[in-house]
Amino acid sequence: PNDLTPTHISWQPSVNASTHHTDRYANAELTVRRGQAFTITLYFNRPKQTGENLAFVTEIGPSPSESHRTKAVFNLSEVGASGWSAAQGPSESGYMNFTISSPANAVIGRYNLILQVTSGNKIFSRFLGQFVLLFNPWCPGDDVYMANENERQEYVLNENGIIFVGNAKYIEARGWYYGQFQDHLLNICLTMLDLSLYYRQDPAIDVSRRGDPKYVGRVITTCTLILLGKWQGSFHSHENPSRWDGSVVILQKWCQDNYKPVQYGQCWVFAGVMCTVLRCLGIPTRLVSNFNSAHDVDRNLSIDKYYDSSGKSLNISKDSTWDYHVWNESWFIRPDLGTSYNGWQVLDATPQEQSRGLFQCGPASVTAIKEGDVDLDYDTLFVYTEVNADCNRWIVYNDGTKRRVYCDTEIIGRFISTKAVGSNSRVDVTCNYKYPEGSSEERRVYKKALAKIFGTNITEGHTESPDERSSETIRNPGISGKFKLAEPPVFGKDITLILILNNLSFDHKTVKVDMSASTILYTRRPVAEILKATTSVDLGSKQGKHIQLKIPYSYYGKYLTTDKRIQVTALCEVMHMHGVKLLVEKTIILEDTNIIIKIPRRVVVNKAVTLEISYANPLPEPVNRCVLLVTLMNQQVKIHLAQLAPRERSKIYFEFTPRRTGPLQLQVDFSCDKFSHVKGFVTIAVAPA
C-alpha cells in the first residue's frame, strides 16, 4: 500500500521562535505562543493526489477531549469550532508548508500534533511530534495582553531582577536572577502544574482550565511544593534563605531531588521563584515589596502586639508586622469581576494563610484592594489588610491582665516598591494600592471594607474589633518619645542611640523608663534579648531630655542573624498617673560593609573582561573560612580566601567572558565564620563586538 506518509517534519525553529518571542528558551522542541500562527514543513513519500484530504489534530493532557477543549481536529483552510485552523502555504512536489493557528484562549502546555490523511473511506493518523504552547502578551485577544513593548520586554523577557528589602527607613536593593529561559526550566514549570493538588484531584478538568491565567496563577501560588518556608531557629549555612541569588538553582535542585521541597525559603525567595515560573509560561509578572506589612491572622483589620511590663516584646500573638513582605503582581484581565478590575493582580506564594483549604493567595485585583472591595475573589481581604491594618500595643502584667498602651502607630503599607521598566531604579506603587493616608477617600474605603467584614451596622469612628475589648480608652500620657541614632549603625561597631523624651504639658513629670533591646528577624520575631536597662527622668514644664543608650558589638555580635536587625523598646511610665505608659520602639538594620565591584568602561561580547571585587571584615576581631561566591546567570564560582585581620579590606580580580549581548547581572556573596551572605551586585551592559 502506497499510503501518503510524512517522512520528515521541519518545525522551522528559527522563524517561529523569532516571531513568537521564544528564541531564548533553551529547550529543543518548538515553543510558540497562543493566538498566533506558526509554520511547519512536512516532507512526504510521494506527491498528494486528488481525493486525498489532510487535517490536523492537537491534543493535550492525559485524556484529551473536544468537549474540554483539550483536543481539536481541523481541516485545511476552515476555522473549526475549536478556534484552531491550518492553511497550506507555497509547496513543491516533495514537501508542503502549513501554517497552524491556535485560539487566543487555548489551553497552554505541551501538545501532540497529529496529521490525519483521508482517502475515500479510509483515515490514517500519523503522530508528527510535540510542541509547547504559551500565554501571549503580544496578542490583543489574549487575557494577558500587554500593549506596551518596553513593559513586555521587562515583565516577560527580562531574566534579571531586583528585590527591594530592608525597612521603611532603609530600603535596600538585592539582585535576583529569574533565568526563565534556562535549561530544563520550561519542563520544570510544566511539571509543577502536573504535581499540583488540583491536577491530582481531576487531571482532565485541571488541564482544561489551563487557558485561564487566573487559574494558572492561583495553582502556582501553591509553590510550597517547591520550597519549605522557615522563619525561626538557626539555619545551617546550606539552608539559610539568604544564600539564594536566583530561581534557577532552586528549581533545578527541586527537579534533581525528585520534587522534594528545597530548604529553605522566605518571602523574597518564594516570590522570586514564582516570578520565574509565571514569566516562563508567558504571564507578565513583577515583584512588589510592601514595607511594614501586616499579617492579621484573626482578620479584624488590627494587628495586636504584646509586651511584658519591662517593655520586652512577647511572642504570644499570631498577628505580626513584617519589616517587608514580597509578593508578585501579574497582568491579566478579570472577566469574572468586571473590566474595572483588569490589570495588575496580586499573587503571593509565601505560605501564610490557608485559602479554601490550601496555602494559596490570589489573584487579588490591585484595584479591588484600593477600593476596599474585600469580598471579591481571591483573598482580597488578606492583601487589603497587609497594606491597611491598624496596630494595637498591649502590656501584659504578671497577673495576666492586659492593658492597651499609647504608641504612635507606624503606618502599615509604606513605600510599596517595584523595579522600574528598563532600569534598576525603584518605583513607588503605593498609590495603586491605597488613597493618600488621612484623605477622605481613604477613610471611605476603610469604612466600606469594615462594613463588608463585620456587616453594615458599624458606627462612625469605630476601628476596634467587634468584641469591644478595650473598654478603657488609652490615655495620652502627655509626653512624646523617639529613638534617634547618634550615627549610622554599622555591623561590627558599637551602636549609640538617643531616646528623646519631651514633656508636652506644663506640669512637672517624673518618668520611669524601662529599655530593652533584642536581635530580631525581618518578620520582627525576637531572637535573643541582648540588653536591659532602667532609669528615671525628671521633666520640667515643656522640657525635653536626652537619654543615651549604648549597645556594644560584644553584646549583639553573636546573636545577630543574617537579617542583622535589632529592635529597641522603651516603656515610659509617668509616675502618679495610674500606670499611664508610652511605648517607643525602633528597629535598627546594621549596615554591612559594602562589596565594591569595579567593571571596565566597555564590556564586549566574546571578549575576556577582568573585574575587581573588594570585600571587607568590619569586625574588631579576625575572621576565617572566607568564601566569595560569584554568580553570573547560572554559573557560580566559589573562591576560598585567606583570613582577614580586624577591619581589613581586601580584593581579588575575576576574569570571565560574556557570551551574549545585553544586560548581564553579576552577583557577589561573601561569607566567613563570623557572618554570612553579605551581598553585592552589578548590572553590566554587554556591547556587540
Side-chain angles (χ1 to χ4, degrees), residues 69 72 74 79-85 101-105:
R69 300 186 58 253
F74 44 101
V79 179
S82 63
W84 286 80
S85 65
S101 303
S102 58
N105 61 355

Side-chain angles (χ1 to χ4, degrees), residues 442-640:
E442 185 224 7
R443 293 331 295 166
R444 168 182 66 78
V445 166
Y446 192 75
K447 284 217 289 276
K448 174 174 166 187
L450 278 173
K452 287 189 171 185
I453 302 166
F454 300 128
T456 45
N457 55 353
I458 290 202
T459 51
E460 184 64 40
H462 173 97
T463 60
E464 263 320 307
S465 56
D467 61 0
E468 279 300 348
R469 56 186 156 177
S470 78
S471 46
E472 45 125 5
T473 53
I474 342 175
R475 288 176 58 198
N476 186 328
I479 56 170
S480 69
K482 188 174 185 174
F483 273 117
K484 279 204 110 141
L485 284 155
E487 68 274 324
V490 175
F491 175 53
K493 296 207 168 134
D494 299 348
I495 300 162
T496 310
L497 282 155
I498 295 158
L499 173 64
I500 304 167
L501 287 180
N502 283 306
N503 185 352
L504 304 174
S505 70
F506 294 106
D507 318 335
H508 173 274
K509 288 189 172 74
T510 302
V511 184
K512 174 174 173 264
V513 182
D514 281 303
M515 292 192 269
S516 162
S518 299
T519 54
I520 57 167
L521 301 176
Y522 83 99
T523 58
R524 302 198 192 158
R525 196 188 169 91
V527 178
E529 188 172 39
I530 51 175
L531 185 142
K532 257 182 131 95
T534 304
T535 181
S536 165
V537 195
D538 282 325
L539 293 176
S541 162
K542 289 278 186 181
Q543 188 186 14
K545 282 209 173 149
H546 289 196
I547 303 166
Q548 202 182 50
L549 178 69
K550 209 178 179 74
I551 309 175
Y553 166 71
S554 56
Y555 280 35
Y556 71 74
K558 50 179 171 302
Y559 298 109
L560 225 43
T561 67
T562 23
D563 286 354
K564 296 206 172 68
R565 282 171 163 74
I566 295 172
Q567 188 174 45
V568 192
T569 58
L571 193 56
C572 310
E573 181 176 5
V574 182
M575 307 311 277
H576 323 300
M577 263 185 81
H578 310 295
V580 173
K581 293 186 159 114
L582 166 74
L583 180 72
V584 184
E585 59 180 352
K586 184 177 184 69
T587 302
I588 302 161
I589 299 185
L590 298 177
E591 296 177 20
D592 277 319
T593 333
N594 282 349
I595 285 181
I596 299 163
I597 307 166
K598 289 190 179 154
I599 47 177
R601 263 220 199 73
R602 190 167 152 78
V603 176
V604 177
V605 72
N606 295 325
K607 277 177 84 170
V609 52
T610 303
L611 308 181
E612 179 189 301
I613 301 171
S614 93
Y615 52 94
N617 169 20
L619 306 183
E621 53 191 343
V623 296
N624 294 300
R625 296 205 296 278
C626 301
V627 176
L628 206 57
L629 287 176
V630 182
T631 311
L632 264 170
M633 289 176 61
N634 227 7
Q635 289 156 345
Q636 198 168 63
V637 183
K638 192 173 191 174
I639 305 161
H640 292 274

Side-chain angles (χ1 to χ4, degrees), residues 367-375 380 384 445-446 448-449 452:
T367 308
I369 296 160
K370 182 168 183 172
E371 293 301 333
D373 296 321
V374 294
D375 50 339
T380 309
Y384 176 85
V445 166
Y446 192 75
K448 174 174 166 187
K452 287 189 171 185

